[in-house]
């Protein structure tokens, strides 16, 4: 009976130690990807839903997959903006679409707009919309990860983006036409 007691006590001790070690294992972020809804925006507010943008971390950076429709065909500026709102706001006495999203996400205070490799961290590859108004593509933001963009907005601009501040500021994208908040 004495050896039975010793073996039982040893088993209980091992089980307690194993559970104790398991409870101290650091937890991993289980949010591997995220999909957000995109809406058209105007100076009156948030309009029609036009699809989704999905984000997923990868070893090469943040993968961004668009499933969008009802957009003007052509190239459009595509950026992460610094605030998580798609609401209009007033600038110079005039309501402006999605202005509450602020400017491009720029935590490193880079002085210039540029490519996804050297400009603001929110500078993304140009979004190409086909002749039918659809943008179903996958792109990469090599300097971002999903945790960096939580609580921010993603924006589509009316015009293209030349990745420069010349001849027009911020790549020449112009008006904000669609937006989504990244939760």
């Amino acid at each position: 009976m004495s050896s039975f007691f010793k073996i039982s006590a040893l088993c209980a001790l091992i089980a307690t130690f194993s559970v104790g070690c398991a409870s101290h294992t650091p937890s991993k972020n289980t949010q591997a990807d995220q999909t957000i809804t995109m809406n058209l925006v105007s100076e009156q507010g948030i309009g029609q839903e036009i699809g989704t943008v999905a984000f997923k971390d990868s070893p090469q950076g943040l993968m961004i997959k668009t499933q969008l429709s009802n957009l003007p065909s052509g190239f459009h500026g595509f950026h992460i903006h610094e605030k998580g709102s798609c609401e209009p706001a007033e600038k110079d006495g005039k309501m402006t679409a999605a202005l509450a999203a602020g400017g491009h996400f720029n935590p490193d205070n880079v002085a210039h707009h540029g490519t996804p490799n050297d400009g603001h961290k929110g500078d993304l590859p140009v979004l190409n919309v086909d002749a039918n108004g659809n943008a179903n593509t996958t792109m990469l933001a090599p300097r971002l990860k999903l945790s960096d963009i939580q609580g921010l907005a993603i924006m589509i601009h009316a015009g293209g983006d030349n990745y420069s501040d010349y001849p027009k500021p911020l790549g020449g994208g112009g008006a904000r036409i669609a937006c989504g908040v990244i939760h």
Side-chain angles (χ1 to χ4, degrees):
M1 178 105 166
S2 177
S3 8
F4 177 73
F5 178 74
K6 288 178 185 176
I7 292 172
S8 296
L10 181 59
C11 288
L13 182 62
I14 290 170
T16 302
F17 179 72
S18 297
V19 170
C21 289
S23 67
H24 288 87
T25 303
S27 62
K28 292 183 179 179
N29 181 2
T30 57
Q31 186 176 1
D33 58 11
Q34 183 176 8
T35 301
I36 61 138
T37 301
M38 296 289 290
N39 293 81
L40 294 176
V41 292
S42 72
E43 52 277 346
Q44 286 82 37
I46 300 169
Q48 170 188 345
E49 183 179 318
I50 60 165
T52 61
V53 175
F55 301 98
K56 182 176 184 169
D57 284 328
S58 79
Q60 295 78 31
L62 185 64
M63 300 290 293
I64 303 167
K65 183 175 183 177
T66 64
Q67 297 288 312
L68 302 167
S69 60
N70 297 315
L71 287 166
S73 63
F75 295 107
H76 297 273
F78 194 45
H79 308 104
I80 302 291
H81 281 245
E82 64 188 345
K83 297 178 184 167
S85 176
C86 294
E87 295 293 331
E90 189 174 328
K91 180 179 180 182
D92 300 327
K94 180 181 173 194
M95 293 303 286
T96 303
L99 190 62
H104 294 179
F105 177 55
N106 188 16
D108 300 329
N109 294 314
V110 173
H112 62 88
H113 174 69
T115 72
N117 294 314
D118 67 4
H120 306 138
K121 278 200 174 170
D123 294 341
L124 301 176
V126 171
L127 183 67
N128 187 8
V129 178
D130 68 23
N132 296 317
N134 300 313
N136 300 314
T137 189
T138 301
M139 58 186 70
L140 181 69
R143 298 181 300 151
L144 290 175
K145 50 189 182 229
L146 188 54
S147 61
D148 295 334
I149 63 171
Q150 294 303 299
L152 306 182
I154 186 160
M155 192 75 62
I156 301 171
H157 294 267
D161 187 339
N162 69 0
Y163 302 120
S164 172
D165 286 320
Y166 179 82
K168 293 183 178 179
L170 302 173
R176 300 163 186 212
I177 62 170
C179 181
V181 175
I182 306 161
H183 301 333

